[in-house]
Structure formats: structure tokens, C-alpha cells
PDB file of all heavy atoms in Angstrom:
ATOM      1  N   ARG E   1     -31.624  33.287 -47.040  1.00 78.00           N
ATOM      2  CA  ARG E   1     -30.731  34.099 -46.250  1.00 78.00           C
ATOM      3  C   ARG E   1     -31.522  34.994 -45.247  1.00 78.00           C
ATOM      4  O   ARG E   1     -31.069  35.166 -44.085  1.00 78.00           O
ATOM      5  CB  ARG E   1     -29.929  34.996 -47.194  1.00 78.00           C
ATOM      6  CG  ARG E   1     -28.686  34.280 -47.757  1.00 78.00           C
ATOM      7  CD  ARG E   1     -27.789  35.230 -48.445  1.00 78.00           C
ATOM      8  NE  ARG E   1     -27.754  34.747 -49.817  1.00 78.00           N
ATOM      9  CZ  ARG E   1     -27.707  35.470 -50.900  1.00 78.00           C
ATOM     10  NH1 ARG E   1     -27.687  36.785 -50.824  1.00 78.00           N
ATOM     11  NH2 ARG E   1     -27.742  34.976 -52.097  1.00 78.00           N
ATOM     12  N   ALA E   2     -32.637  35.511 -45.690  1.00 72.00           N
ATOM     13  CA  ALA E   2     -33.449  36.266 -44.788  1.00 72.00           C
ATOM     14  C   ALA E   2     -33.959  35.436 -43.621  1.00 72.00           C
ATOM     15  O   ALA E   2     -33.995  35.897 -42.501  1.00 72.00           O
ATOM     16  CB  ALA E   2     -34.584  37.002 -45.509  1.00 72.00           C
ATOM     17  N   ALA E   3     -34.399  34.241 -43.965  1.00 67.00           N
ATOM     18  CA  ALA E   3     -34.891  33.381 -42.959  1.00 67.00           C
ATOM     19  C   ALA E   3     -33.752  32.993 -41.979  1.00 67.00           C
ATOM     20  O   ALA E   3     -33.987  32.881 -40.747  1.00 67.00           O
ATOM     21  CB  ALA E   3     -35.489  32.083 -43.544  1.00 67.00           C
ATOM     22  N   ALA E   4     -32.583  32.733 -42.425  1.00 71.00           N
ATOM     23  CA  ALA E   4     -31.412  32.430 -41.596  1.00 71.00           C
ATOM     24  C   ALA E   4     -31.082  33.616 -40.670  1.00 71.00           C
ATOM     25  O   ALA E   4     -30.852  33.383 -39.485  1.00 71.00           O
ATOM     26  CB  ALA E   4     -30.235  32.021 -42.414  1.00 71.00           C
ATOM     27  N   ARG E   5     -31.124  34.842 -41.185  1.00 77.00           N
ATOM     28  CA  ARG E   5     -30.909  35.998 -40.364  1.00 77.00           C
ATOM     29  C   ARG E   5     -31.913  36.186 -39.324  1.00 77.00           C
ATOM     30  O   ARG E   5     -31.660  36.493 -38.212  1.00 77.00           O
ATOM     31  CB  ARG E   5     -30.787  37.318 -41.261  1.00 77.00           C
ATOM     32  CG  ARG E   5     -29.512  37.386 -42.029  1.00 77.00           C
ATOM     33  CD  ARG E   5     -29.309  38.819 -42.666  1.00 77.00           C
ATOM     34  NE  ARG E   5     -30.492  39.232 -43.381  1.00 77.00           N
ATOM     35  CZ  ARG E   5     -30.622  39.050 -44.678  1.00 77.00           C
ATOM     36  NH1 ARG E   5     -29.659  38.487 -45.360  1.00 77.00           N
ATOM     37  NH2 ARG E   5     -31.637  39.489 -45.308  1.00 77.00           N
ATOM     38  N   LEU E   6     -33.222  35.944 -39.699  1.00 70.00           N
ATOM     39  CA  LEU E   6     -34.300  36.048 -38.754  1.00 70.00           C
ATOM     40  C   LEU E   6     -34.119  34.989 -37.728  1.00 70.00           C
ATOM     41  O   LEU E   6     -34.379  35.260 -36.460  1.00 70.00           O
ATOM     42  CB  LEU E   6     -35.631  35.895 -39.459  1.00 70.00           C
ATOM     43  CG  LEU E   6     -36.867  35.917 -38.569  1.00 70.00           C
ATOM     44  CD1 LEU E   6     -36.992  37.315 -37.931  1.00 70.00           C
ATOM     45  CD2 LEU E   6     -38.160  35.609 -39.375  1.00 70.00           C
ATOM     46  N   GLY E   7     -33.763  33.763 -38.039  1.00 75.00           N
ATOM     47  CA  GLY E   7     -33.499  32.696 -37.073  1.00 75.00           C
ATOM     48  C   GLY E   7     -32.439  33.108 -36.117  1.00 75.00           C
ATOM     49  O   GLY E   7     -32.539  32.791 -34.912  1.00 75.00           O
ATOM     50  N   GLU E   8     -31.355  33.657 -36.586  1.00 79.00           N
ATOM     51  CA  GLU E   8     -30.270  34.082 -35.755  1.00 79.00           C
ATOM     52  C   GLU E   8     -30.631  35.144 -34.748  1.00 79.00           C
ATOM     53  O   GLU E   8     -30.347  35.113 -33.583  1.00 79.00           O
ATOM     54  CB  GLU E   8     -29.051  34.531 -36.573  1.00 79.00           C
ATOM     55  CG  GLU E   8     -28.405  33.493 -37.305  1.00 79.00           C
ATOM     56  CD  GLU E   8     -27.362  34.035 -38.344  1.00 79.00           C
ATOM     57  OE1 GLU E   8     -27.105  35.229 -38.322  1.00 79.00           O
ATOM     58  OE2 GLU E   8     -26.846  33.189 -39.140  1.00 79.00           O
ATOM     59  N   ARG E   9     -31.447  36.105 -35.271  1.00 79.00           N
ATOM     60  CA  ARG E   9     -31.928  37.203 -34.367  1.00 79.00           C
ATOM     61  C   ARG E   9     -32.931  36.646 -33.295  1.00 79.00           C
ATOM     62  O   ARG E   9     -32.858  37.071 -32.180  1.00 79.00           O
ATOM     63  CB  ARG E   9     -32.561  38.319 -35.145  1.00 79.00           C
ATOM     64  CG  ARG E   9     -31.570  39.163 -35.935  1.00 79.00           C
ATOM     65  CD  ARG E   9     -32.114  40.456 -36.391  1.00 79.00           C
ATOM     66  NE  ARG E   9     -33.422  40.295 -37.036  1.00 79.00           N
ATOM     67  CZ  ARG E   9     -33.669  40.636 -38.327  1.00 79.00           C
ATOM     68  NH1 ARG E   9     -32.732  41.112 -39.108  1.00 79.00           N
ATOM     69  NH2 ARG E   9     -34.835  40.434 -38.859  1.00 79.00           N
ATOM     70  N   ALA E  10     -33.728  35.697 -33.722  1.00 80.00           N
ATOM     71  CA  ALA E  10     -34.684  35.132 -32.793  1.00 80.00           C
ATOM     72  C   ALA E  10     -33.896  34.348 -31.717  1.00 80.00           C
ATOM     73  O   ALA E  10     -34.259  34.396 -30.512  1.00 80.00           O
ATOM     74  CB  ALA E  10     -35.758  34.242 -33.527  1.00 80.00           C
ATOM     75  N   ALA E  11     -32.894  33.586 -32.103  1.00 78.00           N
ATOM     76  CA  ALA E  11     -32.133  32.804 -31.188  1.00 78.00           C
ATOM     77  C   ALA E  11     -31.418  33.747 -30.155  1.00 78.00           C
ATOM     78  O   ALA E  11     -31.375  33.518 -29.017  1.00 78.00           O
ATOM     79  CB  ALA E  11     -31.138  31.897 -31.848  1.00 78.00           C
ATOM     80  N   ALA E  12     -30.882  34.836 -30.685  1.00 80.00           N
ATOM     81  CA  ALA E  12     -30.227  35.804 -29.808  1.00 80.00           C
ATOM     82  C   ALA E  12     -31.193  36.479 -28.897  1.00 80.00           C
ATOM     83  O   ALA E  12     -30.861  36.689 -27.666  1.00 80.00           O
ATOM     84  CB  ALA E  12     -29.513  36.881 -30.701  1.00 80.00           C
ATOM     85  N   ALA E  13     -32.348  36.844 -29.354  1.00 83.00           N
ATOM     86  CA  ALA E  13     -33.373  37.429 -28.512  1.00 83.00           C
ATOM     87  C   ALA E  13     -33.905  36.405 -27.373  1.00 83.00           C
ATOM     88  O   ALA E  13     -34.076  36.835 -26.266  1.00 83.00           O
ATOM     89  CB  ALA E  13     -34.612  37.843 -29.360  1.00 83.00           C
ATOM     90  N   LEU E  14     -34.084  35.180 -27.777  1.00 85.00           N
ATOM     91  CA  LEU E  14     -34.431  34.158 -26.799  1.00 85.00           C
ATOM     92  C   LEU E  14     -33.341  34.032 -25.731  1.00 85.00           C
ATOM     93  O   LEU E  14     -33.661  33.887 -24.525  1.00 85.00           O
ATOM     94  CB  LEU E  14     -34.746  32.848 -27.452  1.00 85.00           C
ATOM     95  CG  LEU E  14     -35.135  31.618 -26.573  1.00 85.00           C
ATOM     96  CD1 LEU E  14     -36.338  31.998 -25.801  1.00 85.00           C
ATOM     97  CD2 LEU E  14     -35.233  30.424 -27.377  1.00 85.00           C
ATOM     98  N   ASP E  15     -32.109  33.927 -26.197  1.00 84.00           N
ATOM     99  CA  ASP E  15     -31.001  33.724 -25.265  1.00 84.00           C
ATOM    100  C   ASP E  15     -30.888  35.014 -24.311  1.00 84.00           C
ATOM    101  O   ASP E  15     -30.750  34.857 -23.018  1.00 84.00           O
ATOM    102  CB  ASP E  15     -29.665  33.685 -26.050  1.00 84.00           C
ATOM    103  CG  ASP E  15     -28.506  33.360 -25.163  1.00 84.00           C
ATOM    104  OD1 ASP E  15     -28.569  32.312 -24.412  1.00 84.00           O
ATOM    105  OD2 ASP E  15     -27.501  34.155 -25.216  1.00 84.00           O
ATOM    106  N   ALA E  16     -31.074  36.165 -24.851  1.00 87.00           N
ATOM    107  CA  ALA E  16     -31.057  37.376 -23.963  1.00 87.00           C
ATOM    108  C   ALA E  16     -32.235  37.347 -22.948  1.00 87.00           C
ATOM    109  O   ALA E  16     -32.057  37.783 -21.807  1.00 87.00           O
ATOM    110  CB  ALA E  16     -31.124  38.691 -24.809  1.00 87.00           C
ATOM    111  N   ALA E  17     -33.385  36.842 -23.397  1.00 90.00           N
ATOM    112  CA  ALA E  17     -34.547  36.786 -22.559  1.00 90.00           C
ATOM    113  C   ALA E  17     -34.283  35.770 -21.370  1.00 90.00           C
ATOM    114  O   ALA E  17     -34.671  36.014 -20.222  1.00 90.00           O
ATOM    115  CB  ALA E  17     -35.817  36.440 -23.338  1.00 90.00           C
ATOM    116  N   LEU E  18     -33.674  34.645 -21.697  1.00 89.00           N
ATOM    117  CA  LEU E  18     -33.346  33.650 -20.676  1.00 89.00           C
ATOM    118  C   LEU E  18     -32.366  34.146 -19.690  1.00 89.00           C
ATOM    119  O   LEU E  18     -32.534  33.966 -18.480  1.00 89.00           O
ATOM    120  CB  LEU E  18     -32.905  32.337 -21.300  1.00 89.00           C
ATOM    121  CG  LEU E  18     -33.942  31.563 -22.135  1.00 89.00           C
ATOM    122  CD1 LEU E  18     -33.341  30.434 -22.814  1.00 89.00           C
ATOM    123  CD2 LEU E  18     -35.018  31.133 -21.173  1.00 89.00           C
ATOM    124  N   VAL E  19     -31.376  34.928 -20.138  1.00 89.00           N
ATOM    125  CA  VAL E  19     -30.371  35.436 -19.219  1.00 89.00           C
ATOM    126  C   VAL E  19     -31.073  36.536 -18.331  1.00 89.00           C
ATOM    127  O   VAL E  19     -30.858  36.495 -17.076  1.00 89.00           O
ATOM    128  CB  VAL E  19     -29.197  36.092 -20.010  1.00 89.00           C
ATOM    129  CG1 VAL E  19     -28.303  36.927 -19.079  1.00 89.00           C
ATOM    130  CG2 VAL E  19     -28.339  35.021 -20.661  1.00 89.00           C
ATOM    131  N   THR E  20     -31.882  37.371 -18.936  1.00 93.00           N
ATOM    132  CA  THR E  20     -32.613  38.362 -18.126  1.00 93.00           C
ATOM    133  C   THR E  20     -33.539  37.701 -17.134  1.00 93.00           C
ATOM    134  O   THR E  20     -33.609  38.097 -15.962  1.00 93.00           O
ATOM    135  CB  THR E  20     -33.406  39.275 -19.076  1.00 93.00           C
ATOM    136  OG1 THR E  20     -32.504  39.957 -19.975  1.00 93.00           O
ATOM    137  CG2 THR E  20     -34.158  40.363 -18.295  1.00 93.00           C
ATOM    138  N   GLY E  21     -34.218  36.697 -17.585  1.00 94.00           N
ATOM    139  CA  GLY E  21     -35.175  36.004 -16.638  1.00 94.00           C
ATOM    140  C   GLY E  21     -34.410  35.377 -15.488  1.00 94.00           C
ATOM    141  O   GLY E  21     -34.851  35.454 -14.329  1.00 94.00           O
ATOM    142  N   ALA E  22     -33.248  34.784 -15.748  1.00 93.00           N
ATOM    143  CA  ALA E  22     -32.465  34.190 -14.660  1.00 93.00           C
ATOM    144  C   ALA E  22     -31.945  35.221 -13.706  1.00 93.00           C
ATOM    145  O   ALA E  22     -31.947  34.981 -12.475  1.00 93.00           O
ATOM    146  CB  ALA E  22     -31.289  33.362 -15.260  1.00 93.00           C
ATOM    147  N   ALA E  23     -31.544  36.343 -14.216  1.00 95.00           N
ATOM    148  CA  ALA E  23     -31.065  37.389 -13.368  1.00 95.00           C
ATOM    149  C   ALA E  23     -32.181  37.953 -12.478  1.00 95.00           C
ATOM    150  O   ALA E  23     -32.022  38.184 -11.298  1.00 95.00           O
ATOM    151  CB  ALA E  23     -30.438  38.521 -14.165  1.00 95.00           C
ATOM    152  N   LEU E  24     -33.334  38.177 -13.062  1.00 95.00           N
ATOM    153  CA  LEU E  24     -34.471  38.706 -12.328  1.00 95.00           C
ATOM    154  C   LEU E  24     -35.029  37.688 -11.297  1.00 95.00           C
ATOM    155  O   LEU E  24     -35.440  38.110 -10.177  1.00 95.00           O
ATOM    156  CB  LEU E  24     -35.570  39.153 -13.270  1.00 95.00           C
ATOM    157  CG  LEU E  24     -35.159  40.344 -14.138  1.00 95.00           C
ATOM    158  CD1 LEU E  24     -36.322  40.656 -15.108  1.00 95.00           C
ATOM    159  CD2 LEU E  24     -34.820  41.561 -13.313  1.00 95.00           C
ATOM    160  N   LEU E  25     -35.027  36.425 -11.679  1.00 95.00           N
ATOM    161  CA  LEU E  25     -35.416  35.435 -10.741  1.00 95.00           C
ATOM    162  C   LEU E  25     -34.540  35.325  -9.487  1.00 95.00           C
ATOM    163  O   LEU E  25     -35.039  35.047  -8.434  1.00 95.00           O
ATOM    164  CB  LEU E  25     -35.479  34.020 -11.423  1.00 95.00           C
ATOM    165  CG  LEU E  25     -36.016  32.886 -10.595  1.00 95.00           C
ATOM    166  CD1 LEU E  25     -37.435  33.155 -10.119  1.00 95.00           C
ATOM    167  CD2 LEU E  25     -35.895  31.564 -11.324  1.00 95.00           C
ATOM    168  N   ALA E  26     -33.310  35.594  -9.728  1.00 96.00           N
ATOM    169  CA  ALA E  26     -32.400  35.682  -8.518  1.00 96.00           C
ATOM    170  C   ALA E  26     -32.853  36.733  -7.528  1.00 96.00           C
ATOM    171  O   ALA E  26     -32.832  36.520  -6.310  1.00 96.00           O
ATOM    172  CB  ALA E  26     -30.927  35.904  -8.957  1.00 96.00           C
ATOM    173  N   SER E  27     -33.315  37.889  -7.986  1.00 96.00           N
ATOM    174  CA  SER E  27     -33.839  38.903  -7.109  1.00 96.00           C
ATOM    175  C   SER E  27     -35.118  38.433  -6.386  1.00 96.00           C
ATOM    176  O   SER E  27     -35.321  38.785  -5.226  1.00 96.00           O
ATOM    177  CB  SER E  27     -34.123  40.191  -7.882  1.00 96.00           C
ATOM    178  OG  SER E  27     -32.901  40.743  -8.353  1.00 96.00           O
ATOM    179  N   GLU E  28     -35.924  37.718  -7.091  1.00 96.00           N
ATOM    180  CA  GLU E  28     -37.120  37.195  -6.453  1.00 96.00           C
ATOM    181  C   GLU E  28     -36.778  36.165  -5.446  1.00 96.00           C
ATOM    182  O   GLU E  28     -37.361  36.127  -4.311  1.00 96.00           O
ATOM    183  CB  GLU E  28     -38.064  36.522  -7.513  1.00 96.00           C
ATOM    184  CG  GLU E  28     -39.352  35.948  -6.913  1.00 96.00           C
ATOM    185  CD  GLU E  28     -40.179  35.207  -7.815  1.00 96.00           C
ATOM    186  OE1 GLU E  28     -40.294  35.541  -8.975  1.00 96.00           O
ATOM    187  OE2 GLU E  28     -40.781  34.174  -7.433  1.00 96.00           O
ATOM    188  N   GLN E  29     -35.807  35.303  -5.705  1.00 97.00           N
ATOM    189  CA  GLN E  29     -35.324  34.345  -4.723  1.00 97.00           C
ATOM    190  C   GLN E  29     -34.766  35.038  -3.489  1.00 97.00           C
ATOM    191  O   GLN E  29     -34.962  34.575  -2.369  1.00 97.00           O
ATOM    192  CB  GLN E  29     -34.309  33.402  -5.376  1.00 97.00           C
ATOM    193  CG  GLN E  29     -34.939  32.457  -6.392  1.00 97.00           C
ATOM    194  CD  GLN E  29     -33.884  31.793  -7.299  1.00 97.00           C
ATOM    195  OE1 GLN E  29     -32.907  32.391  -7.610  1.00 97.00           O
ATOM    196  NE2 GLN E  29     -34.130  30.545  -7.604  1.00 97.00           N
ATOM    197  N   LEU E  30     -34.063  36.134  -3.707  1.00 97.00           N
ATOM    198  CA  LEU E  30     -33.572  36.845  -2.633  1.00 97.00           C
ATOM    199  C   LEU E  30     -34.670  37.410  -1.726  1.00 97.00           C
ATOM    200  O   LEU E  30     -34.636  37.323  -0.523  1.00 97.00           O
ATOM    201  CB  LEU E  30     -32.690  38.012  -3.106  1.00 97.00           C
ATOM    202  CG  LEU E  30     -32.206  39.040  -2.103  1.00 97.00           C
ATOM    203  CD1 LEU E  30     -31.306  38.379  -1.067  1.00 97.00           C
ATOM    204  CD2 LEU E  30     -31.520  40.181  -2.801  1.00 97.00           C
ATOM    205  N   GLY E  31     -35.692  37.981  -2.390  1.00 96.00           N
ATOM    206  CA  GLY E  31     -36.815  38.488  -1.576  1.00 96.00           C
ATOM    207  C   GLY E  31     -37.529  37.356  -0.839  1.00 96.00           C
ATOM    208  O   GLY E  31     -37.958  37.592   0.309  1.00 96.00           O
TER     209      GLY E  31
END
């Protein structure tokens, strides 16, 4: 159960990082 919770948190963190990266890359593309 602990491993499953850790996996879920890791997946959520990775997803948030990809969304943040895509948003920031848009600003670089604008520049």
C-alpha cells in the first residue's frame, strides 16, 4: 500500500512537472 501511494504521488509529481515545463516552454518560444 505504501508503494502504491508513493507511485501515485510520483506520477502526480511527474504530471505536474510536465505541465509546468510545457507552460514555461511556451514563454521561451514566445521570446
Side-chain angles (χ1 to χ4, degrees):
R1 278 189 241 141
R5 284 192 307 266
L6 179 62
E8 289 170 6
R9 287 197 313 244
L14 177 62
D15 187 56
L18 290 173
V19 168
T20 301
L24 294 177
L25 182 60
S27 293
E28 180 185 326
Q29 290 167 321
L30 171 64

